[in-house]
């Protein structure tokens, strides 16, 4: 019970930023004496600090005067975000302030060993900047794309990283960096966690997080609870079929959404335009070399008003809006949050997706949902990895109850076969 009470108090303090003991008792439902003892224990441990913030001084009960806050430097977390073409590393405190950051380009066709060597050396480089950081680490958390075995710490496979197969991420990082615990999570799930941390009030809402990276994925928060599929393979909207006669995707199917909105498809559209004598400003910006054309360059010129680049961006956003509208129609969320590389294209994306929603959604469903952009942008999964690490302190422990019978899909099928035989 002490552990549960501590985490209730910590979460309430975090949400309030600064709070009195009396207000803590009201918000947690704990007795004032329990709150007092819990706060005293956490102050003694250094997790909480007292401040002269008087904003709760009007409380009528409890100890007046000093307010309680999280000691943001009590623990640090080392976070890594491995994307097919990008590696992001950061050391963050308990307020998710970034104390150190590094970013590296990746070749998605490289073997896992080569990329993991860069992850390890990059982490060592960050930690070497301050001798005290390593001792304060609560652990390390890693964001990964594709199919991952979260429980065993293995990156099983990724269509966008074809040379990654059953990579023992936790084992490799624990051995090399001597950091424990190391956790891994699916990048789209972690992007959603970053949004939950940033806005605790969304625990009263159903939120669909649309994550634009090398590929595209979605994650669902239902009243603050992250939905996770049977094999953590939920959210792969990029591999839903939008054209059964379309081009072959890297996953092996034809006509996947990702074929229409991925960086590769964006570059192809631009290349086709240049071959038709169009997009000359874009070609000029790429120094006349189509190989130097990137989605970021297209977005930048689109925001400057280049009509050819605007056409490309709107076409991408149209497919994005179509796929998202289908999900909204099924799930009826309160909100869609767009995370990812949206620095230079956010306004165009919002305009086009809103337009598709207006056309495709039922009136009541359209009235229920709003679309926003995450300020974390392409670092949403990195922030989410840090949130996962800090969960050691903030998440309530899972309560387990003994069960007389374990239910599995296999047992269900066996039972059904027996019933069928009896029926015959």
């Amino acid at each position: 019970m002490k552990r549960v009470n501590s985490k209730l108090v910590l979460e309430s303090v975090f949400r309030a930023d600064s709070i009195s003991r009396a207000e803590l008792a009201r918000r947690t439902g704990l007795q004032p004496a329990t709150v007092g003892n819990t706060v005293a224990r956490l102050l003694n441990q250094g997790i909480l600090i007292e401040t002269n913030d008087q904003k709760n001084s009007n409380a009528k009960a409890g100890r007046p005067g000093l307010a309680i806050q999280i000691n943001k430097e009590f623990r640090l977390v080392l976070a890594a975000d491995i994307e097919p073409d990008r590696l992001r590393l950061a050391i963050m405190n308990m307020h998710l302030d970034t104390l150190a950051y590094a970013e590296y380009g990746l070749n998605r066709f490289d073997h896992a060993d080569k990329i993991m060597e860069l992850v390890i050396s990059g982490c060592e480089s960050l930690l070497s900047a301050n001798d005290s950081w390593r001792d304060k680490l609560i652990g390390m958390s890693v964001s990964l794309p594709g199919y991952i075995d979260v429980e065993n710490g293995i990156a099983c496979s990724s269509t966008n990283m074809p040379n990654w197969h059953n990579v023992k991420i936790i084992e490799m990082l624990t051995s090399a960096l001597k950091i424990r615990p190391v956790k891994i999570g699916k990048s789209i799930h972690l992007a959603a966690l970053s949004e939950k941390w940033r806005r605790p009030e969304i625990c009263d809402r159903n939120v669909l997080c649309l994550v634009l990276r090398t590929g595209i994925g979605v994650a669902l928060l239902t009243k603050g609870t992250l939905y996770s599929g049977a094999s953590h393979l939920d959210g792969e909207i990029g591999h839903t079929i939008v054209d059964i006669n379309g081009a072959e995707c890297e996953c092996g199917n034809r006509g996947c959404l990702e074929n229409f909105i991925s960086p590769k498809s964006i570059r192809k559209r631009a290349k086709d335009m240049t071959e038709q004598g169009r997009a000359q400003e874009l070609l000029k910006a790429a120094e006349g070399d189509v190989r130097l054309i990137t989605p970021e360059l297209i977005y930048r010129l689109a925001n400057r008003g280049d009509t050819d680049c605007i056409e490309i961006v709107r076409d991408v956003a149209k497919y994005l809006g179509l796929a998202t509208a289908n999900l909204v129609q099924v799930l009826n969320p309160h909100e869609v949050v767009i995370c990812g590389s949206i620095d230079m294209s956010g306004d165009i994306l919002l305009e086009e997706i809103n337009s598709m929603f207006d056309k495709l959604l039922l009136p009541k469903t359209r009235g229920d949902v709003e679309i926003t952009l995450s300020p974390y942008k392409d670092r949403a999964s990195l922030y989410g990895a840090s949130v996962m690490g800090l969960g050691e302190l903030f998440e309530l422990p899972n309560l387990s109850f003994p069960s007389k019978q374990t239910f599995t899909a296999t047992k269900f099928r066996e039972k059904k076969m027996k019933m069928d035989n009896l029926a015959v």
Side-chain angles (χ1 to χ4, degrees), residues 333-351:
H334 297 95
E335 186 176 352
V336 173
V337 180
I338 304 176
C339 311
S341 303
I342 52 178
D343 299 63
M344 295 164 286
S345 61
D347 291 341
I348 298 175
L349 281 176
L350 280 181
E351 182 182 337

Side-chain angles (χ1 to χ4, degrees), residues 108-298:
R108 68 191 186 95
F109 296 104
D110 280 343
H111 284 271
D113 287 347
K114 182 175 181 179
I115 292 176
M116 291 304 297
E117 285 177 8
L118 180 59
V119 173
I120 292 165
S121 63
C123 288
E124 291 285 12
S125 179
L126 283 189
L127 289 168
S128 67
N130 189 310
D131 293 337
S132 68
W133 285 348
R134 186 181 287 272
D135 292 335
K136 287 187 174 183
L137 284 181
I138 195 172
M140 180 178 181
S141 299
V142 185
S143 164
L144 293 159
Y147 170 35
I148 60 176
D149 180 347
V150 174
E151 289 75 19
N152 294 304
I154 298 172
C156 301
S157 63
S158 170
T159 56
N160 287 318
M161 302 176 78
N163 290 313
W164 278 56
H165 302 288
N166 299 319
V167 185
K168 297 180 179 179
I169 301 289
I170 289 181
E171 182 179 309
M172 294 173 74
L173 293 176
T174 301
S175 174
L177 296 172
K178 311 301 180 189
I179 295 173
R180 290 183 175 80
V182 176
K183 297 180 176 182
I184 66 171
K186 189 177 176 73
S187 57
I188 58 176
H189 289 167
L190 297 183
L193 281 185
S194 74
E195 198 63 20
K196 177 183 174 182
W197 181 276
R198 182 175 73 89
R199 296 185 299 148
E201 68 274 10
I202 69 172
C203 287
D204 296 326
R205 296 162 70 83
N206 296 322
V207 179
L208 191 66
C209 293
L210 185 65
V211 187
L212 308 178
R213 294 164 66 85
T214 305
I216 175 177
V218 293
L220 178 64
L221 286 167
T222 57
K223 303 298 177 67
T225 300
L226 178 66
Y227 173 82
S228 182
S231 302
H232 305 285
L233 265 174
D234 54 281
E236 295 290 340
I237 188 176
H239 296 293
T240 55
I241 310 300
V242 295
D243 181 1
I244 59 174
N245 298 314
E248 186 175 355
C249 178
E250 290 181 331
C251 74
N253 288 326
R254 287 189 171 275
C256 289
L257 174 64
E258 204 161 287
N259 277 354
F260 296 88
I261 64 173
S262 67
K264 179 180 178 181
S265 70
I266 294 172
R267 285 191 290 267
K268 184 179 184 305
R269 277 189 186 86
K271 182 175 179 292
D272 290 344
M273 275 189 173
T274 61
E275 290 175 351
Q276 297 164 10
R278 303 176 60 193
Q280 292 306 298
E281 285 300 315
L282 175 62
L283 188 60
K284 181 180 178 181
E287 300 175 0
D289 188 346
V290 293
R291 293 172 299 179
L292 299 180
I293 292 176
T294 64
E296 290 76 18
L297 183 58
I298 293 169

Side-chain angles (χ1 to χ4, degrees), residues 1 9 22 38 63 148 177 187 206 259 263 300 326 328 330 341-343 350 370 408:
M1 286 306 298
V9 167
T38 302
R63 178 178 172 181
I148 60 176
L177 296 172
S187 57
N206 296 322
N259 277 354
R300 190 178 302 122
N326 286 334
V328 170
V330 172
S341 303
I342 52 178
D343 299 63
L350 280 181
E370 58 180 318
T408 66

